[in-house]
Amino acid sequence: MTKETLLILLGILAASISFKVGLNKWLESKPESVPPPVVVRPNPPQPVQLISSPQEEKAKGEPKAEEKKQTPPPEPQKQKEDLIAKNTKEKKTKEVQKTQRSKNLTAQKQATRKEVAKQKKQAEKPRREVKEYVIQIGTFSSKEKADRALKKAISMGYRAEIVREGKLYKVRVRVKTDNPKKVLARLRSAFGSATIKR
């Protein structure tokens, strides 16, 4: 063998190796495609004819011009049409999913913005000082009624006490809060009256 022949063979070998490597990389990067499903369509049933005359048989032997024109498309054409229909359906499905994801992301962003705005608003509000208040929730002439109000206040979670002034029994609660108006409204709805004493 001559040097030229060896060089040609080496060049062909190098080219075929690089071609194979490139082809493998291309096949790996290409998404796996599922072959289209096989569609089996049943043939329409043929009408059964009884005995016919020789003239009818000659007429049957030669297909009419209309029948020649209406031959069904070949199978590869049907498969191609089915594949195109499937691809179109998949694209529409992907577009709908993409649109839905986009809407969800937009809704999440809006919710996040609202939450951030709410947190900023709360941070901007001046913090009120928590103080202890003594609130009188009732004045009673009988000890039994005062005891009932005391039990009700305790069941609501307040520290309560009865103070006797003369012949009257006054029920008072001690509350630590930064919003006394809110506490007053709650006590008034439960007991009918409530006033701050200290």
Side-chain angles (χ1 to χ4, degrees), residues 106-150:
T106 304
Q108 287 176 350
K109 286 179 184 177
Q110 287 176 350
T112 305
R113 287 181 191 148
K114 287 180 182 178
E115 186 65 30
V116 169
K118 186 177 178 182
Q119 288 174 357
K120 282 182 181 179
K121 216 176 203 183
Q122 287 177 351
E124 291 172 0
K125 286 183 181 178
R127 299 277 178 170
R128 295 182 189 163
E129 189 177 325
V130 177
K131 294 181 182 178
E132 184 176 40
Y133 296 92
V134 176
I135 302 172
Q136 185 170 309
I137 56 173
T139 304
F140 304 96
S141 58
S142 73
K143 175 91 168 119
E144 293 82 25
K145 290 181 181 178
D147 284 337
R148 274 189 263 149
L150 177 73

Side-chain angles (χ1 to χ4, degrees), residues 1 3-21:
M1 284 194 165
K3 288 184 181 181
E4 293 172 352
T5 310
L6 282 175
L7 285 175
I8 292 172
L9 288 175
L10 281 175
I12 292 172
L13 180 65
S16 63
I17 290 172
S18 64
F19 173 75
K20 180 154 175 95
V21 169

Side-chain angles (χ1 to χ4, degrees), residues 128-129 133 177-184:
R128 295 182 189 163
E129 189 177 325
Y133 296 92
T177 183
D178 64 341
N179 190 355
K181 290 181 182 179
K182 186 176 180 181
V183 175
L184 279 173

Side-chain angles (χ1 to χ4, degrees), residues 168-198:
L168 298 176
Y169 298 93
K170 297 180 179 182
V171 181
R172 295 179 179 164
V173 294
R174 294 184 180 274
V175 180
K176 286 185 179 180
T177 183
D178 64 341
N179 190 355
K181 290 181 182 179
K182 186 176 180 181
V183 175
L184 279 173
R186 184 173 178 214
L187 289 170
R188 284 182 180 142
S189 69
F191 295 100
S193 69
T195 53
I196 296 178
K197 292 297 179 184
R198 284 189 271 157

